[in-house]
Amino acid sequence: LIHFYKRNKMLGVGNKIAMRGMATTASPIHHVVIFGAGLMGSGIAQVSAQTNHHVTLVDKPEVLPKAEKMIQSSVARVAKKAFKQDDQASKAFVEDTLGNISMASEPEAALASADLVIEAVTENLKLKQDLFQRCDEVCPEKTILATNTSTLKVTDIMKDLKRLDRTGGLHFFNPVPVMKLLEVIRTDHTSDETFDAMTAWGRAIGKHTVACKDTIGFIVNRLLGPYIQEAIAMVERGDATFQDVDMAMKLGAGYPMGPFQLLDYTGLDLHKFINENPDHPFRKQSEMINKLVDEGKLGVKTGEGFYKYK
């Protein structure tokens, strides 16, 4: 009876979430393995679990408890907003979402049944290449391997794999539970079946998907790069403070956040990495960014960047 009650409650929850645009499209992907339990990886795990996908989140043992707490807090906020007048449905949604997530420091068992592997680790080419080579050896033939990189070419990351037709990019945006866009990246080797499966899964987790070829920066970051660089240059020249630049873009251009708040969310270390990438078309060293990174002020994930966060 308890199972029957919970099942019917979750049908109601699923319908309500679907109406909110979070899960509307059928997908052949059911088990998702995510490498990297930081802000991005935890967010991808959350939206996948909320839409009834089984998720395994992989990282070092000391990282996983923080990720688990972060996901619990975020799911509770989603439930409170979605089920304001229904405490039982809210509780059932939280329990079922968290029940869909497993944490692992050793991924082999999860990889053996994965439909999709998503990598959301540090923007280090060698690290990503080694990770995917390991997955290529362990995962079954059906498994799609996808990177969440925002600055590297997918082709460079996947170049030594055997299953090139089952590789691609899935580029999310922070914070993942809030941002609606998902860039689906196809290389010259990505098969139509793989691209269609990634797109269907993106829609199934409630994202608006856009297609892009494997070009540095894809769509958003290719356009965002010059904007961010000019904002940094303005502040370094003394034309305006970073606080006033942010406020100007929010009130004058209608942006939800200014460029410096955005840098805090994406990570100042990531921006520094972009500036050190000789292949990136908009790279430009910044003493201001380098100083903050050297001080360990990387943005939201460390509690301080341009702004302080509790």
Side-chain angles (χ1 to χ4, degrees):
L1 286 173
I2 293 174
H3 175 77
F4 177 79
Y5 170 76
K6 281 195 71 179
R7 176 62 178 166
N8 278 279
K9 291 298 290 183
M10 282 310 296
L11 285 173
V13 171
N15 289 337
K16 186 162 186 176
I17 294 296
M19 285 191 293
R20 295 175 67 243
M22 293 179 67
T24 57
T25 305
S27 164
I29 293 169
H30 305 289
H31 181 199
V32 184
V33 176
I34 300 165
F35 282 88
L39 280 172
M40 185 66 77
S42 295
I44 298 170
Q46 178 185 331
V47 297
S48 302
Q50 283 177 178
T51 49
N52 209 30
H53 294 85
H54 174 56
V55 179
T56 303
L57 185 58
V58 182
D59 211 315
K60 298 175 182 178
E62 61 269 26
V63 174
L64 293 173
K66 181 180 178 181
E68 187 173 18
K69 186 178 295 186
M70 183 165 49
I71 292 170
Q72 288 171 347
S73 177
S74 183
V75 171
R77 288 195 297 271
V78 172
K80 184 177 181 180
K81 185 176 181 180
F83 308 102
K84 295 178 182 178
Q85 308 300 325
D86 194 337
D87 290 341
Q88 289 181 326
S90 177
K91 183 179 179 181
F93 173 73
V94 171
E95 289 179 353
D96 280 81
T97 296
L98 298 179
N100 284 332
I101 302 175
S102 301
M103 304 280 180
S105 56
E106 297 295 333
E108 278 73 15
L111 291 175
S113 62
D115 296 308
L116 171 65
V117 173
I118 301 175
E119 163 275 308
V121 302
T122 304
E123 289 286 76
N124 180 292
L125 178 60
K126 183 67 163 57
L127 176 65
K128 293 176 187 286
Q129 289 173 334
D130 290 346
L131 187 155
F132 278 119
Q133 285 177 10
R134 181 182 178 189
C135 293
D136 198 27
E137 294 172 359
V138 176
C139 290
E141 185 179 343
K142 67 174 182 176
T143 309
I144 295 171
L145 305 180
T147 175
N148 179 58
T149 184
S150 58
T151 63
L152 301 170
K153 291 195 71 173
V154 178
T155 301
D156 293 340
I157 295 171
M158 307 293 192
K159 68 183 181 67
D160 295 324
L161 305 189
K162 300 173 184 176
R163 64 180 79 204
L164 290 177
D165 61 316
R166 277 158 285 142
T167 63
L170 290 168
H171 183 222
F172 289 83
F173 296 83
N174 254 328
V176 178
V178 176
M179 301 297 280
K180 297 178 181 179
L181 185 65
L182 173 61
E183 292 178 324
V184 182
I185 314 304
R186 68 186 309 162
T187 71
D188 291 339
H189 303 287
T190 305
S191 70
D192 289 342
E193 182 180 2
T194 296
F195 179 79
D196 290 345
M198 291 194 300
T199 301
W201 178 76
R203 292 172 179 167
I205 62 170
K207 298 303 181 186
H208 184 99
T209 62
V210 293
C212 185
K213 290 184 178 180
D214 185 23
T215 181
I216 289 180
F218 311 132
I219 298 173
V220 174
N221 285 341
R222 189 72 180 228
L223 298 174
L224 202 58
Y227 161 71
I228 293 289
Q229 295 289 27
E230 185 56 32
I232 292 171
M234 286 187 71
V235 172
E236 290 187 326
R237 287 195 305 265
D239 297 344
T241 65
F242 71 83
Q243 296 95 332
D244 282 349
V245 170
D246 275 0
M247 190 59 66
M249 294 310 296
K250 286 193 284 188
L251 299 183
Y255 287 16
M257 64 176 68
F260 294 96
Q261 187 180 0
L262 179 60
L263 280 167
D264 274 357
Y265 269 90
T266 57
L268 302 185
D269 53 333
L270 174 60
H271 188 78
K272 184 176 186 293
F273 174 83
I274 293 171
N275 288 336
E276 293 172 347
N277 179 1
D279 295 324
H280 201 282
F282 307 119
R283 71 186 184 96
K284 184 179 181 182
Q285 288 290 336
S286 163
E287 291 185 9
M288 179 171 61
I289 296 291
N290 291 344
K291 182 175 183 293
L292 288 169
V293 172
D294 290 343
E295 293 172 353
K297 299 174 182 178
L298 309 183
V300 174
K301 59 186 172 185
T302 59
E304 184 176 356
F306 285 99
Y307 299 93
K308 290 184 178 181
Y309 304 88
K310 292 184 180 179

